Amino acid sequence: QLHLQESGPGLVKPSETLSLTCTVSGGSISGSGHYWVWIRQPPGKGLEWIGSIYFSGSTHYNPSLKSRLTISASTYSNQFSLKLTSVTAADTAIYSCARGTAFEAFDVWGPGTLATVSS
Amino acid sequence: QSALTQPASVSGSPGQSITISCIGTSSDVGAYDYVSWYQQHPNKAPKLLIYDVVNRPSGVSTRFSGSKSGNTASLTISDLQAEDEADYYCNSYKKTNTPHVVFGGGTKLTVL
Protein backbone atom coordinates (compact mmCIF):
# COMPACT_ATOMS: atom_id res chain seq x y z
CA GLN A 1 0.00 0.00 0.00
CA LEU A 2 1.40 3.37 -1.01
CA HIS A 3 2.27 5.69 1.85
CA LEU A 4 3.46 9.30 1.73
CA GLN A 5 5.03 11.15 4.64
CA GLU A 6 6.06 14.78 4.81
CA SER A 7 9.00 15.96 6.90
CA GLY A 8 10.71 19.25 7.59
CA PRO A 9 11.03 22.03 10.13
CA GLY A 10 7.81 23.20 11.69
CA LEU A 11 9.04 26.76 12.18
CA VAL A 12 10.72 29.01 9.63
CA LYS A 13 11.74 32.64 10.04
CA PRO A 14 10.41 35.31 7.67
CA SER A 15 12.56 35.82 4.57
CA GLU A 16 14.15 32.38 4.97
CA THR A 17 13.63 29.22 2.91
CA LEU A 18 11.05 26.54 3.69
CA SER A 19 12.34 23.07 2.80
CA LEU A 20 10.12 20.00 2.96
CA THR A 21 10.57 16.41 1.86
CA CYS A 22 8.00 13.76 1.01
CA THR A 23 9.12 10.17 1.48
CA VAL A 24 7.23 7.59 -0.58
CA SER A 25 7.00 4.00 0.60
CA GLY A 26 5.14 0.98 -0.76
CA GLY A 27 5.83 2.01 -4.34
CA SER A 28 8.33 3.77 -6.57
CA ILE A 29 8.05 7.36 -7.70
CA SER A 30 9.54 6.28 -11.02
CA GLY A 31 7.44 3.23 -11.73
CA SER A 32 3.84 4.33 -11.75
CA GLY A 33 3.46 7.01 -14.39
CA HIS A 34 2.09 9.40 -11.80
CA TYR A 35 3.05 12.93 -10.91
CA TRP A 36 4.05 13.83 -7.36
CA VAL A 37 2.37 16.90 -5.99
CA TRP A 38 2.59 19.50 -3.23
CA ILE A 39 -0.59 21.14 -1.92
CA ARG A 40 -1.00 23.49 1.03
CA GLN A 41 -3.83 24.61 3.26
CA PRO A 42 -3.59 27.65 5.55
CA PRO A 43 -5.20 26.91 8.92
CA GLY A 44 -8.97 27.11 8.59
CA LYS A 45 -8.81 27.88 4.86
CA GLY A 46 -9.00 26.10 1.52
CA LEU A 47 -6.59 24.07 -0.57
CA GLU A 48 -3.92 25.59 -2.81
CA TRP A 49 -1.96 23.62 -5.41
CA ILE A 50 1.75 24.38 -5.17
CA GLY A 51 3.19 22.29 -7.98
CA SER A 52 3.94 18.85 -9.35
CA ILE A 53 6.90 16.83 -10.59
CA TYR A 54 7.38 13.71 -12.72
CA PHE A 55 10.22 11.39 -11.81
CA SER A 56 12.07 12.48 -14.93
CA GLY A 57 12.24 15.99 -13.52
CA SER A 58 9.45 17.61 -15.51
CA THR A 59 7.72 20.17 -13.29
CA HIS A 60 4.64 22.36 -13.21
CA TYR A 61 4.39 25.27 -10.78
CA ASN A 62 1.65 27.52 -9.44
CA PRO A 63 2.21 30.81 -11.27
CA SER A 64 1.74 32.76 -8.04
CA LEU A 65 4.63 30.87 -6.38
CA LYS A 66 6.84 30.12 -9.36
CA SER A 67 9.45 32.79 -8.68
CA ARG A 68 10.11 31.38 -5.18
CA LEU A 69 9.56 27.68 -5.76
CA THR A 70 11.68 24.67 -6.60
CA ILE A 71 10.38 21.10 -6.61
CA SER A 72 12.84 18.26 -7.10
CA ALA A 73 12.79 14.47 -6.96
CA SER A 74 15.25 11.71 -6.10
CA THR A 75 14.50 8.29 -7.53
CA TYR A 76 17.43 6.95 -5.47
CA SER A 77 15.83 8.06 -2.20
CA ASN A 78 12.25 7.65 -3.49
CA GLN A 79 11.57 11.16 -2.27
CA PHE A 80 10.51 14.49 -3.67
CA SER A 81 11.11 17.88 -2.12
CA LEU A 82 9.90 21.46 -2.01
CA LYS A 83 11.91 24.63 -1.47
CA LEU A 84 10.06 27.92 -1.06
CA THR A 85 12.24 30.98 -0.64
CA SER A 86 11.60 34.37 0.97
CA VAL A 87 8.71 33.11 3.06
CA THR A 88 6.25 35.36 4.85
CA ALA A 89 3.43 34.76 7.32
CA ALA A 90 1.16 34.17 4.32
CA ASP A 91 3.08 30.95 3.66
CA THR A 92 2.02 29.49 7.02
CA ALA A 93 0.03 26.37 6.16
CA ILE A 94 -0.32 22.64 6.38
CA TYR A 95 1.81 21.32 3.52
CA SER A 96 0.76 17.99 2.05
CA CYS A 97 2.33 15.78 -0.55
CA ALA A 98 0.20 13.65 -2.83
CA ARG A 99 0.17 11.43 -5.90
CA GLY A 100 -1.85 12.23 -8.98
CA THR A 101 -1.82 13.17 -12.60
CA ALA A 102 -0.07 16.41 -13.50
CA PHE A 103 -3.13 18.50 -12.87
CA GLU A 104 -5.84 16.59 -10.97
CA ALA A 105 -6.95 13.27 -9.47
CA PHE A 106 -4.78 13.43 -6.35
CA ASP A 107 -5.59 9.99 -4.98
CA VAL A 108 -3.02 9.30 -2.26
CA TRP A 109 -2.12 11.94 0.31
CA GLY A 110 0.33 12.27 3.15
CA PRO A 111 -1.03 13.36 6.54
CA GLY A 112 0.38 16.87 6.08
CA THR A 113 2.84 18.90 8.12
CA LEU A 114 2.28 22.34 9.59
CA ALA A 115 4.89 24.91 8.63
CA THR A 116 4.69 28.16 10.55
CA VAL A 117 6.49 31.30 9.42
CA SER A 118 7.32 33.40 12.46
CA SER A 119 10.26 35.16 14.02
CA GLN B 1 -10.37 34.66 -3.50
CA SER B 2 -10.39 31.17 -5.00
CA ALA B 3 -10.23 30.63 -8.73
CA LEU B 4 -13.28 28.32 -8.70
CA THR B 5 -16.46 29.39 -6.92
CA GLN B 6 -18.25 27.04 -4.54
CA PRO B 7 -21.06 27.78 -2.10
CA ALA B 8 -19.69 28.25 1.40
CA SER B 9 -22.20 25.83 2.87
CA VAL B 10 -24.97 23.42 1.99
CA SER B 11 -27.14 21.24 4.17
CA GLY B 12 -29.50 18.32 3.89
CA SER B 13 -31.29 15.69 5.92
CA PRO B 14 -30.37 12.01 5.99
CA GLY B 15 -31.69 10.22 2.92
CA GLN B 16 -31.92 13.37 0.83
CA SER B 17 -29.75 14.38 -2.12
CA ILE B 18 -27.66 17.53 -2.33
CA THR B 19 -25.63 19.12 -5.10
CA ILE B 20 -22.53 21.27 -4.73
CA SER B 21 -21.61 23.54 -7.62
CA CYS B 22 -18.15 24.57 -8.78
CA ILE B 23 -18.18 27.54 -11.11
CA GLY B 24 -15.16 28.21 -13.28
CA THR B 25 -14.43 29.78 -16.64
CA SER B 26 -13.87 28.82 -20.25
CA SER B 27 -10.16 28.49 -19.42
CA ASP B 28 -10.60 25.78 -16.81
CA VAL B 29 -13.83 23.90 -15.97
CA GLY B 30 -15.43 24.75 -19.30
CA ALA B 31 -12.43 23.85 -21.41
CA TYR B 32 -11.34 20.42 -20.21
CA ASP B 33 -12.77 17.36 -18.50
CA TYR B 34 -10.10 17.54 -15.81
CA VAL B 35 -12.27 18.28 -12.77
CA SER B 36 -11.89 16.44 -9.48
CA TRP B 37 -13.77 16.48 -6.18
CA TYR B 38 -12.42 15.83 -2.69
CA GLN B 39 -13.96 15.19 0.73
CA GLN B 40 -12.13 16.41 3.82
CA HIS B 41 -13.11 15.58 7.37
CA PRO B 42 -11.69 17.76 10.17
CA ASN B 43 -7.96 17.27 10.69
CA LYS B 44 -7.83 14.62 7.98
CA ALA B 45 -6.24 14.51 4.55
CA PRO B 46 -8.58 15.07 1.60
CA LYS B 47 -10.04 12.01 -0.09
CA LEU B 48 -10.51 11.83 -3.85
CA LEU B 49 -14.18 11.24 -4.71
CA ILE B 50 -14.44 12.05 -8.42
CA TYR B 51 -11.92 12.65 -11.23
CA ASP B 52 -12.23 13.55 -14.90
CA VAL B 53 -15.64 15.09 -14.07
CA VAL B 54 -17.56 11.81 -13.71
CA ASN B 55 -15.23 8.96 -12.70
CA ARG B 56 -15.17 7.40 -9.24
CA PRO B 57 -11.98 5.79 -7.90
CA SER B 58 -12.29 2.24 -6.73
CA GLY B 59 -13.87 2.08 -3.29
CA VAL B 60 -15.79 5.35 -3.47
CA SER B 61 -19.51 4.97 -2.86
CA THR B 62 -21.85 5.17 -5.84
CA ARG B 63 -23.80 7.76 -3.83
CA PHE B 64 -21.22 10.28 -5.07
CA SER B 65 -21.54 11.41 -8.68
CA GLY B 66 -20.11 14.20 -10.78
CA SER B 67 -21.26 16.14 -13.81
CA LYS B 68 -20.47 19.26 -15.81
CA SER B 69 -22.41 21.77 -17.87
CA GLY B 70 -20.55 24.62 -19.50
CA ASN B 71 -18.31 26.31 -16.95
CA THR B 72 -20.00 24.67 -13.96
CA ALA B 73 -19.12 21.30 -12.47
CA SER B 74 -21.32 19.66 -9.87
CA LEU B 75 -21.01 17.02 -7.19
CA THR B 76 -24.19 15.22 -6.16
CA ILE B 77 -24.44 13.17 -3.00
CA SER B 78 -27.50 10.95 -2.84
CA ASP B 79 -29.00 9.19 0.16
CA LEU B 80 -27.21 11.59 2.49
CA GLN B 81 -25.65 9.99 5.56
CA ALA B 82 -24.27 11.46 8.78
CA GLU B 83 -20.71 10.56 7.82
CA ASP B 84 -20.98 12.71 4.71
CA GLU B 85 -20.72 15.81 6.88
CA ALA B 86 -17.39 17.29 5.79
CA ASP B 87 -15.77 19.93 3.60
CA TYR B 88 -15.83 19.37 -0.15
CA TYR B 89 -13.41 20.85 -2.69
CA CYS B 90 -13.34 20.88 -6.47
CA ASN B 91 -10.28 21.39 -8.62
CA SER B 92 -9.64 21.87 -12.31
CA TYR B 93 -6.84 22.08 -14.81
CA LYS B 94 -6.40 25.64 -16.04
CA LYS B 95 -4.77 26.31 -19.38
CA THR B 96 -3.01 29.62 -19.51
CA ASN B 97 0.53 30.59 -20.49
CA THR B 98 1.50 28.45 -17.50
CA PRO B 99 -0.78 25.41 -17.17
CA HIS B 100 -1.67 24.86 -13.54
CA VAL B 101 -4.32 23.69 -11.07
CA VAL B 102 -7.03 25.75 -9.42
CA PHE B 103 -9.15 24.80 -6.44
CA GLY B 104 -12.52 25.95 -5.26
CA GLY B 105 -12.83 27.61 -1.88
CA GLY B 106 -14.57 24.61 -0.36
CA THR B 107 -18.13 23.84 0.74
CA LYS B 108 -19.12 22.81 4.25
CA LEU B 109 -21.80 20.13 4.14
CA THR B 110 -23.98 19.85 7.21
CA VAL B 111 -26.19 16.80 7.65
CA LEU B 112 -29.17 17.96 9.68
Side-chain angles (χ1 to χ4, degrees), chain A residues 33-47:
Chain A
H34 289 91
Y35 273 75
W36 304 93
V37 183
W38 286 100
I39 292 165
R40 70 180 183 180
Q41 185 171 28
K45 297 188 179 180
L47 300 169

Side-chain angles (χ1 to χ4, degrees), chain A residues 39 41 45-49 60-63 66 96 102-107 109-112, chain B residues 33-36 38 40 45-48 51-52 89 91-93 98-101 103-105:
Chain A
I39 292 165
Q41 185 171 28
K45 297 188 179 180
L47 300 169
E48 180 182 28
W49 179 79
H60 299 283
Y61 291 161
N62 187 321
K66 188 175 183 179
S96 298
F103 299 110
E104 60 139 2
F106 310 129
D107 63 344
W109 294 65
Chain B
D33 288 340
Y34 296 137
V35 176
S36 296
Y38 304 84
Q40 186 179 34
K47 174 186 176 183
L48 178 65
Y51 67 97
D52 294 350
Y89 294 91
N91 86 264
S92 173
Y93 169 64
T98 304
H100 59 284
V101 173
F103 274 98

Side-chain angles (χ1 to χ4, degrees), chain B residues 31 39 54-55 64 70 83-84 86 95 100-101:
Chain B
Q39 176 192 62
V54 297
N55 295 316
F64 296 93
E83 59 262 34
D84 297 333
K95 180 66 184 276
H100 59 284
V101 173

Side-chain angles (χ1 to χ4, degrees), chain B residues 13-95:
Chain B
S13 299
Q16 289 184 332
S17 293
I18 63 95
T19 296
I20 300 171
S21 60
C22 172
I23 303 171
T25 70
S26 57
S27 297
D28 40 62
V29 174
Y32 307 95
D33 288 340
Y34 296 137
V35 176
S36 296
W37 289 91
Y38 304 84
Q39 176 192 62
Q40 186 179 34
H41 288 107
N43 301 312
K44 297 291 187 183
K47 174 186 176 183
L48 178 65
L49 296 176
I50 299 288
Y51 67 97
D52 294 350
V53 178
V54 297
N55 295 316
R56 271 186 311 276
S58 175
V60 172
S61 172
T62 56
R63 298 188 299 107
F64 296 93
S65 62
S67 62
K68 189 182 84 167
S69 177
N71 297 337
T72 300
S74 299
L75 173 71
T76 298
I77 308 174
S78 60
D79 188 23
L80 209 55
Q81 300 180 6
E83 59 262 34
D84 297 333
E85 184 161 297
D87 293 325
Y88 291 83
Y89 294 91
C90 61
N91 86 264
S92 173
Y93 169 64
K94 187 174 184 74
K95 180 66 184 276

Side-chain angles (χ1 to χ4, degrees), chain A residues 86-107:
Chain A
S86 304
V87 296
T88 70
D91 295 310
T92 294
I94 296 170
Y95 285 76
S96 298
C97 57
R99 181 187 79 169
T101 66
F103 299 110
E104 60 139 2
F106 310 129
D107 63 344

Side-chain angles (χ1 to χ4, degrees), chain A residues 69-98:
Chain A
L69 179 64
T70 302
I71 296 176
S72 59
S74 168
T75 55
Y76 176 78
S77 303
N78 217 34
Q79 297 175 326
F80 60 106
S81 301
L82 169 156
K83 290 188 187 300
L84 186 66
T85 63
S86 304
V87 296
T88 70
D91 295 310
T92 294
I94 296 170
Y95 285 76
S96 298
C97 57

